[in-house]
Amino acid sequence: MDKYIINGGKRLTGEVEISGAKNAAVAIIPATILADEPCILENVPSINDVTIDLRILRELGADVKMLNRNTIRIDPRPIRDMPVPYELARSMRASYYFLSTLLNRFGHAQVPMPGGCYLGDRPMDQHLKCFRSLGAKYSIEHGVVNIEADTLYGTHIPFDKVSVGATINAMLAAVKAEGQTIIENAAKEPHIVDLANFLNSMGADIMGAGTDVIKIKGVSRLHGAEYAIIPDQIEAGTFMIAVAATKGDALIKNVIPKHLEPITSKLRKIGVVVMEYDDSVRVIGQGNYEHTMVRTMPHPGFPTDMQPQFAALLTLANGTSIINEGIFDNRFRYADELRRMGADISVDGKMAIIEGVDHLTGAPVKATDLRAGAALIIAGLSTDGVTEIEDIYHIERGYDNMDGKLRAMGADIVKRTFSESIRQAI
Ligand code: EPZ
């Protein structure tokens, strides 16, 4: 059982290099199955969700080689026609991208229902709607989605709800379908655009990614490609908030400032200084922040994946802040843990009211999901005293070397591994 132990109160300074985007990588890696030649992916984050994706590819028979820590060569040609392993698929959300990619390659696929962070109800009706519209048949038995179609036919897919996952599955399914597909009410997140750029670099014909209407002309084959994944918008935002929470001054490098705009504008609104450069932002914290209102929305609105981290910062702002979670039903599970540290948060369904306090105190807390874990790190860094965070496996699913990067910026954070027997003895 691993823990982070943080001795807080140290300002974050210097610089940090942001890694590749998790939510782009976990879509682009399965997309290599669509090619009939090897692909080389660069700037791939070294995170557990990527490790699981690569394990699934290897189990299916793909030839996967790490060329260095963040560059992977994937040869999909030896892949066998077999079900995706249950436990691997269940340990992350994005395993559902193997549905569209294996369906395209073999005319059928068997993929267990996905797992991932518990954020309330996370149905797949929009994914299944898009497969049905393209002409596929599916059934769900024993926890496995079985899907088949001799041929997929291009069509019109008006989503009832903006969904990142369903938009990506529709693109991955339609890219080799017969004819044109028009996706309406599509998600516009940066990782949607990154996937479209990757597929187009393999010879696909996708237009409009990043807008709410995506047009895809199906092609008969996709060739190999070399592609660098975009920087992680959410990792960058997390570090911006960590610097602000510690009243620090640091340069966040290898970012696309445009992707960070919804975060930058909120930080500036409460009194954080953010200076934008071509591929970096400088954040200067001063520690006397104003309260504010945040509503999470699909991109380009304020990202739900930044909500817990921003809440951690607002616990130390003057006055009453309000957070409306516009995407998920249950994304305030971190509130209990922040209350252990002295935060004043009241939650009512999809809304949280935060009364600013002048300081938090260190405490033993638990990460309940990936971004909740990041929020606890930020709270721990901002307090004088020791914070111990358990269940950090959630955090390591989506952050590349988080503790190492923070230490390089002056934080006192260590990762401790406790064997089960010691834990029981304690
Ligand atoms: C993606 O999840 C991200 N995960 C999430 O990031 C992110 O929070 C979310 O998009 C929203 O931006 C990955 O990319 C792997 P959705 P996804 O489909 O695709 C409902 C992180 O921390 N919905 O856009 O699962 C759904 O319940 C993770 O990195 C349906 O009703 O999210 C939710 O309320 C956490 N039916 C809303 O839509 C469907 O078929 C948005 O979900 C699909 C979704």
Side-chain angles (χ1 to χ4, degrees):
M1 181 199 62
D2 299 348
K3 281 184 184 183
Y4 284 140
I5 302 184
I6 301 173
N7 198 350
K10 316 274 184 304
R11 293 178 71 237
L12 295 184
T13 56
E15 53 187 52
V16 62
E17 184 95 16
I18 296 303
S19 301
K22 167 181 92 78
N23 291 341
V26 295
I28 288 173
I29 290 171
T32 60
I33 292 173
L34 299 169
D36 48 22
E37 289 165 347
C39 292
I40 293 184
L41 303 179
E42 292 154 11
N43 201 33
V44 180
S46 177
I47 56 175
N48 289 353
D49 274 12
V50 164
T51 308
I52 295 164
D53 252 354
L54 298 178
R55 275 187 63 195
I56 293 175
L57 279 176
R58 285 196 176 98
E59 296 263 340
L60 294 175
D63 176 17
V64 178
K65 284 195 184 61
M66 299 299 296
L67 302 184
N68 63 41
R69 188 175 181 281
N70 301 107
T71 307
I72 309 171
R73 180 182 184 278
I74 298 171
D75 184 350
R77 291 172 294 188
I79 280 186
R80 297 182 299 277
D81 174 3
M82 56 181 277
V84 169
Y86 200 95
E87 281 317 315
L88 289 178
R90 194 183 174 163
S91 60
M92 64 185 292
R93 190 93 201 141
S95 54
Y96 50 31
Y97 298 141
F98 286 97
L99 276 168
S100 45
T101 49
L102 291 172
L103 175 66
N104 246 320
R105 193 173 186 95
F106 297 113
H108 52 255
Q110 289 172 289
V111 181
M113 295 288 276
C117 296
Y118 175 73
L119 305 171
D121 190 24
R122 297 181 82 175
M124 284 182 66
D125 58 305
Q126 298 299 301
H127 298 250
L128 300 172
K129 171 179 177 167
C130 98
F131 292 134
R132 219 176 24 246
S133 328
L134 289 158
K137 293 196 172 37
Y138 65 84
S139 65
I140 301 176
E141 287 150 350
H142 315 300
V144 174
V145 183
N146 307 290
I147 190 163
E148 61 179 32
D150 298 336
T151 309
L152 294 169
Y153 296 95
T155 183
H156 182 221
I157 306 175
F159 281 127
D160 313 316
K161 197 162 193 172
V162 174
S163 158
V164 168
T167 301
I168 287 181
N169 252 332
M171 289 161 71
L172 292 169
V175 74
K176 291 177 85 176
E178 286 206 4
Q180 173 163 277
T181 296
I182 298 180
I183 303 171
E184 276 194 50
N185 199 21
K188 302 193 274 271
E189 271 67 8
H191 25 289
I192 304 273
V193 179
D194 205 31
L195 175 70
N197 291 343
F198 172 62
L199 292 169
N200 283 342
S201 76
M202 296 207 288
D205 184 346
I206 302 174
M207 305 249 287
T211 75
D212 44 25
V213 178
I214 301 176
K215 292 195 176 133
I216 304 168
K217 285 209 187 82
V219 295
S220 56
R221 71 173 288 267
L222 293 172
H223 51 75
E226 274 198 40
Y227 191 81
I229 290 173
I230 54 170
D232 196 315
Q233 172 206 29
I234 305 299
E235 185 196 14
T238 303
F239 275 92
M240 291 167 79
I241 291 182
V243 173
T246 60
K247 309 179 183 107
D249 178 348
L251 190 66
I252 320 271
K253 294 171 65 177
N254 187 29
V255 303
I256 299 173
K258 179 110 189 91
H259 293 170
L260 302 177
E261 277 173 4
I263 305 161
T264 299
S265 64
K266 273 290 165 208
L267 283 173
R268 285 179 175 154
K269 186 140 187 275
I270 67 167
V272 181
V273 175
V274 181
M275 299 143 97
E276 293 170 306
Y277 304 106
D278 291 349
D279 61 358
S280 62
V281 290
R282 180 172 169 198
V283 176
I284 308 172
Q286 36 87 4
N288 192 12
Y289 302 130
E290 280 316 307
H291 58 87
T292 190
M293 291 259 292
V294 177
R295 170 180 288 282
T296 67
M297 312 258 283
H299 190 81
F302 189 87
T304 174
D305 295 346
M306 286 304 306
Q307 184 257 88
Q309 301 93 310
F310 207 78
L313 182 61
L314 291 176
T315 61
L316 297 164
N318 304 327
T320 310
S321 297
I322 297 178
I323 296 187
N324 280 297
E325 173 50 48
I327 308 285
F328 290 107
D329 304 338
N330 189 354
R331 194 157 210 179
F332 292 116
R333 294 170 64 214
Y334 60 85
D336 264 345
E337 302 305 305
L338 286 180
R339 286 191 203 112
R340 289 174 196 282
M341 300 175 77
D344 181 345
I345 305 180
S346 42
V347 174
D348 177 9
K350 295 174 80 169
M351 187 168 78
I353 297 171
I354 304 175
E355 292 298 341
V357 294
D358 57 24
H359 72 283
L360 297 176
T361 56
V365 290
K366 269 193 180 166
T368 47
D369 61 66
L370 168 59
R371 309 304 172 182
L376 297 178
I377 291 180
I378 289 168
L381 292 170
S382 73
T383 76
D384 295 329
V386 176
T387 298
E388 292 194 10
I389 305 176
E390 279 184 37
D391 294 350
I392 60 170
Y393 62 87
H394 287 291
I395 300 169
E396 295 182 326
R397 279 192 43 220
Y399 287 99
D400 185 346
N401 184 28
M402 181 77 151
D403 54 324
K405 289 180 180 181
L406 287 169
R407 269 194 302 280
M409 299 172 80
D412 180 346
I413 176 171
V414 289
K415 177 177 170 181
R416 283 267 177 282
T417 297
F418 290 76
S419 69
E420 203 50 36
S421 55
I422 293 180
R423 192 178 71 74
Q424 273 150 10
I426 294 172

